[in-house]
Amino acid sequence: MAIYNTSAFHFPAFAPRHNPSKITNRGITSGRTDIVSLFGTETADADTPSETYQFDAEVSRVMDIIINSLYSDKSVFLRELTSNAADALDKRRFLSLTEAKQFSDGGIKIKTTPDTLTITDNGIGMTKEELVTNLGRIANSGTRKFSQEIGKNDDTSLIGQFGVGFYSGFLVADKMIVETSRDGGWHKWESEAGEGYTVVEVEQPRDMESQGTRLTLHLKKDCLEYAKSDRLEELLSKYSSFIDFPIELWTEKTEYNQVPDPEDETGEKKKTVPEKVEKWELMNTQKPLWLREPREVEDDEYSEFYKSTFKSSYDDPMKWTHFKLEGQVELKSLLYIPGMLPFELSKNMFDEDAKNLKLYVKRVFINDDFEDLIPRYLKFIRGIVDSDDLELNVGREILQKSRVLSVVRKRLVRKSLDMIKDLKESGDYDKFWTNFGKYIKVGVVEDEQNIEELSGLCLWTMSDSEKMVSLDEYVSSMKEGQDKIYYISGDSKAQCLMNPAMEALKKKGYEAVLCVEPLDEIAVQTMGKFNDKDIVDATKEQWEDDDDKAQNEKETERLQPAIDYLRELLGKKVADVGVTTSLTSSPSACRQGQYGMSPSMQRYMQAQAVALGEEENPMLGNMNEIRLELNPSHSVVNKFSDMVAAKSKSADAYGELLFDLAMITSGYGIEDAKGLSERIVGIMEGGETDGVSDAVVVG
């Protein structure tokens, strides 16, 4: 949808009703009650007829919406009005080419007084008829239709097709005056956002050319900040840095000059004297790099544009892509991968204040807070998107959901992933992964459409390697006969390597992916497969073959009294107690059932519950299926079996320690550290530890 039309100055295509009430300073010529007093007495000449038109009821309703509810930020009025001026200049330039008229120095000038703001351009201008037509009817869709659509549910997002940017001036002004000429005849339009407006013929202003427009806003008392040049500089830098025509602001600056010190008789000393200087200052010095052909832009220009646009003087971009779309959607874009994690994302990876993607329409900044333009896992991508086809609400602040938006989003994702893939293939990937690896794993979890590609971009900590590797590398180095990808989760690499499940992997000669953060485990579980190979939790894998199972049955029968003793001793702490031959050096281990939750994931879920103000996550009870497994060949297990048979008083403490040891090495935590230490001390002293309270195990 085109946001701007090509009418002079881009005022809404207002027109009077079929028979508007018209009042002149020579009397009523037609229509209703005299309302001249509404507009004051400001005219160019007492003998010049002043014509007054009334807005009808539908327009008054629209004006109320615009002023009171359409825009969430009053400051956008400057964006709208400078855009209108640029449109008028653009049209005059176009006509100068088609009609062979000279026009080469078009521009916009902005000047203030303590309570007014004036925007002047030497663009196409308007005739009297165009003034009345363009400022009397909202867009070409009809005032009545506009009002009817709004009346259904007061949803301003329904009116994206109506051009009302000019009236944003009434957000900050209680009176607006337009002086304009297209053919040498000057006219003034004036309104106080009431029930009508006046049009009067005026003399050509001394400081204006024969063609152009000057818009004066009489600011409301609570909007006088917009009469200050520093505030206007800030807004012009934000919204209008890339407009094609020069925007000059009348500024007052303090300059410091070195002059001779009159108190110095030698005349050699100097002193600094402040001097206030008023002058026109150019606001839009930056060039819209994204509008140029990529082959015409040098690498240093891309880097300089990145630093100046995103205020990142301390890093150079790792990668950029410059492209355009044509056909069903027209779009020009320039995307960057930053050289380091942006500061605003360092504390919160999805910080809402991190506004890294800027949307422009015809070089005019619209917004940088469109969540639907790119998925959040690519929030670190910085760049410019310029398109006339994206549908915005009439305030141009809300991006409408549409087929066009879907196409643009897919293209931005594709170009971003292509950049990341190029970095991976170029060998410069470690720096990228250190800064942005977490975002890619979030993408694995959230972007089902691109999960296969994102999975290939992930790097993982490995059990047998110091460097992080991709799953492609893992699969290529798999031992013959291995048909699954195994992972172990924990809070650190050291904790993962301590897990008893590593003993079974080493026995087989297999390597493990180590999930050292909760996000890692969520990502691998979301993948499920990679290159047609299942990704499984090594702690839940059944490692025994038929011979091992036969041996397990035999050892289970031998250790049955000890197993039954532990079941009764531990009670609800475990779902079951059994025997396994997969352990080699550990006396015991804890294994979760097929649908159980790993200890690191349990801690993550519990932390989420606390953050939400809950004492405990209700899911944990159903997802905690701990099975204590004993190594029948280990001397500690056999000693415990002998203690049970001899009905030793230390059997309870010894059994608790077997469980505590399994919990710690398997990644769980012990809440009652005091009870654990007393049991250990009791065993070390060779004494009895009966009556010592049990340690409470927490995930």
Side-chain angles (χ1 to χ4, degrees), residues 48-196:
T48 303
S50 171
E51 299 177 355
T52 300
Y53 299 87
Q54 287 183 309
F55 296 126
D56 40 39
E58 289 86 352
V59 176
S60 297
R61 164 73 171 135
V62 168
M63 294 286 287
D64 179 68
I65 292 172
I66 292 169
I67 296 171
N68 297 313
S69 63
L70 183 58
Y71 294 95
S72 61
D73 181 4
K74 288 183 178 181
S75 68
V76 298
F77 85 94
L78 191 63
R79 177 193 72 191
E80 298 298 315
L81 299 182
T82 53
S83 300
N84 291 343
D87 281 347
L89 288 161
D90 202 33
K91 188 169 185 181
R92 182 175 179 185
R93 179 170 60 182
F94 174 77
L95 292 178
S96 71
L97 297 173
T98 58
E99 299 175 4
K101 295 180 180 180
Q102 186 71 21
F103 180 67
S104 59
D105 57 352
I108 302 168
K109 292 181 180 291
I110 301 175
K111 194 172 184 178
T112 64
T113 69
D115 58 359
T116 66
L117 185 154
T118 301
I119 301 173
T120 304
D121 72 80
N122 58 338
I124 190 66
M126 286 178 281
T127 65
K128 174 186 174 182
E129 291 73 20
E130 287 171 331
L131 256 183
V132 174
T133 300
N134 291 338
L135 302 184
R137 183 191 335 123
I138 293 185
N140 294 316
S141 304
T143 304
R144 186 174 300 277
K145 180 180 177 183
F146 177 96
S147 185
Q148 288 173 347
E149 290 295 323
I150 291 298
K152 290 178 181 177
N153 57 6
D154 284 337
D155 182 3
T156 57
S157 66
L158 296 175
I159 54 179
Q161 71 268 33
F162 298 89
V164 295
F166 166 71
Y167 286 101
S168 65
F170 284 116
L171 292 168
V172 299
D174 47 29
K175 180 167 69 174
M176 292 174 64
I177 299 173
V178 178
E179 298 168 276
T180 185
S181 171
R182 179 167 183 170
D183 54 10
W186 282 83
H187 291 83
K188 180 172 72 172
W189 178 99
E190 181 176 334
S191 176
E192 294 185 3
E195 296 178 352

Side-chain angles (χ1 to χ4, degrees), residues 472-504:
D472 281 313
E473 294 173 288
Y474 178 98
V475 171
S476 65
S477 63
M478 283 171 53
K479 188 175 180 180
E480 186 176 352
Q482 180 181 349
D483 58 359
K484 296 178 182 177
I485 298 171
Y486 297 103
Y487 73 87
I488 292 177
S489 62
D491 293 338
S492 65
K493 182 174 182 177
Q495 188 179 78
C496 290
L497 293 176
M498 185 175 66
N499 194 299
M502 280 301 305
E503 298 175 23

Side-chain angles (χ1 to χ4, degrees), residues 315-326:
D315 72 313
D316 287 306
M318 289 189 206
K319 191 79 176 175
W320 58 80
T321 181
H322 184 183
F323 63 96
K324 64 180 179 179
L325 299 182
E326 294 178 338

Side-chain angles (χ1 to χ4, degrees), residues 664-683:
I664 292 171
T665 57
S666 298
Y668 297 88
I670 304 296
E671 185 177 83
D672 185 11
K674 183 175 182 294
L676 172 62
S677 65
E678 288 178 349
R679 284 192 289 275
I680 293 174
V681 170
I683 296 295

Side-chain angles (χ1 to χ4, degrees), residues 526-567:
T526 303
M527 292 182 206
K529 289 178 176 288
F530 184 82
N531 285 358
D532 295 327
K533 297 187 182 299
D534 290 332
I535 303 176
V536 299
D537 185 347
T539 65
K540 297 180 181 180
E541 184 73 350
Q542 297 295 329
W543 295 104
E544 294 87 354
D545 55 23
D546 291 341
D547 291 340
D548 292 331
K549 289 178 181 179
Q551 181 66 22
N552 279 353
E553 291 178 3
K554 182 179 178 181
E555 295 293 354
T556 298
E557 184 177 350
R558 180 176 69 85
L559 295 173
Q560 193 63 52
I563 293 172
D564 292 339
Y565 190 95
L566 284 171
R567 285 173 177 162

Side-chain angles (χ1 to χ4, degrees), residues 210-222:
S210 61
Q211 188 172 359
T213 301
R214 178 162 63 195
L215 170 62
T216 301
L217 289 81
H218 291 258
L219 298 171
K220 299 175 182 177
K221 290 184 179 180
D222 61 347

